């Protein structure tokens, strides 16, 4: 019973502390990293894939700009994400691809943007590609309306955010662990 309690506590810590159990993947490298609206940018990366990791058969893959420095959350693309293009890829060997995301920077407010790459509904990404980032410099102009050919916000279904889900799972695991420890101690002779 103590082993179970220890195991549940360890799982609770891994779930509660973001990034503890995550592995680093490939990043799109943009040159330059600071750009102005209207500029054409290209990001490139070497990406590894394996069964179940998201490959060419799971596409097409869209490229999005997400305000701030946020890690990619599958199935939780923010409603204010801006779709800017698609992902191009070329096979380099077994499970290895050269990928490229090229797009024109939309008129949007200045700041840092995460570059997310995922398929429809953001169900999966492409292999170990975790995204990238760019900094948009310049005047603080609002994005144009979609009928002007500008960026279009992507509509998303409402749902539980990943943060709430993670914390709820951590709370349940912690409570189960505490209960298991209490029960073990209650049964032990004193």
């Amino acid at each position: 019973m103590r082993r179970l309690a220890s195991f549940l506590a360890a799982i609770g810590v891994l779930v509660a502390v973001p990034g503890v159990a995550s592995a680093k993947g490939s990043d799109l490298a943009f040159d330059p990293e600071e750009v102005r609206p209207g500029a054409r940018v290209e990001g490139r990366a070497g990406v590894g894939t394996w069964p179940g990791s998201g490959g060419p058969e799971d596409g097409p893959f869209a490229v999005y700009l997400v305000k701030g420095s946020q890690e990619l959350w599958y199935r939780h693309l923010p409603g204010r994400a801006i779709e800017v293009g698609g992902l191009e890829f070329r096979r380099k060997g077994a499970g290895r691809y050269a990928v490229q995301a090229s797009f024109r920077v939309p008129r949007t407010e200045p700041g840092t943007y995460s570059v997310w790459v995922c398929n429809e509904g953001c169900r999966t990404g492409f292999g170990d590609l975790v995204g990238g980032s760019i900094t948009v410099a310049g005047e603080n102009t609002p994005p144009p309306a979609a009928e002007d050919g500008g960026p279009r916000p992507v509509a998303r279904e409402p749902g539980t955010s990943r943060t709430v889900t993670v914390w709820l799972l951590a709370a349940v695991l912690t409570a189960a662990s505490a209960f298991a420890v209490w029960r073990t101690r209650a049964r032990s002779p004193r």
Side-chain angles (χ1 to χ4, degrees):
M1 191 57 114
R2 285 182 194 252
R3 286 184 185 167
L4 175 62
S6 297
F7 175 76
L8 290 174
I11 295 296
V13 168
L14 289 175
V15 169
V17 180
V20 170
S22 66
K24 184 72 174 146
S26 301
D27 287 321
L28 288 166
F30 289 93
D31 187 25
E33 289 182 14
E34 184 170 298
V35 295
R36 295 208 174 274
R40 187 116 185 111
V41 296
E42 289 185 359
R44 299 174 188 268
V47 175
T49 64
W50 57 93
S53 69
E57 67 279 359
D58 298 309
F61 293 90
V63 178
Y64 300 92
L65 294 182
V66 177
K67 183 80 167 140
S69 299
Q70 302 177 30
E71 290 185 23
L72 175 61
W73 292 356
Y74 295 119
R75 300 183 191 267
H76 294 283
L77 188 63
R80 292 184 48 111
I82 302 168
E83 185 174 353
V84 292
L87 184 71
E88 298 173 22
F89 50 86
R90 181 174 41 88
R91 188 179 189 102
K92 293 190 74 165
R96 299 292 306 162
Y97 293 86
V99 299
Q100 176 179 324
S102 58
F103 55 90
R104 188 163 306 283
V105 177
R107 284 186 293 150
T108 188
E109 59 185 76
T112 300
Y113 286 81
S114 296
V115 180
W116 287 12
V117 177
C118 53
N119 62 4
E120 185 180 346
C122 214
R123 292 183 319 273
T124 189
F126 191 92
D128 69 355
L129 182 62
V130 294
S133 68
I134 62 170
T135 301
V136 177
E139 296 178 8
N140 189 359
T141 56
E147 52 271 336
D148 293 342
R152 56 189 162 107
V154 179
R156 298 287 158 228
E157 294 180 19
T160 306
S161 75
R162 180 175 183 259
T163 303
V164 172
T165 304
V166 167
W167 283 108
L168 182 60
L169 181 58
V172 168
L173 289 172
T174 302
S177 177
F179 176 77
V181 169
W182 171 79
R183 187 168 177 177
T184 301
R185 287 186 180 166
R187 288 186 175 177
S188 298
R190 294 182 192 236

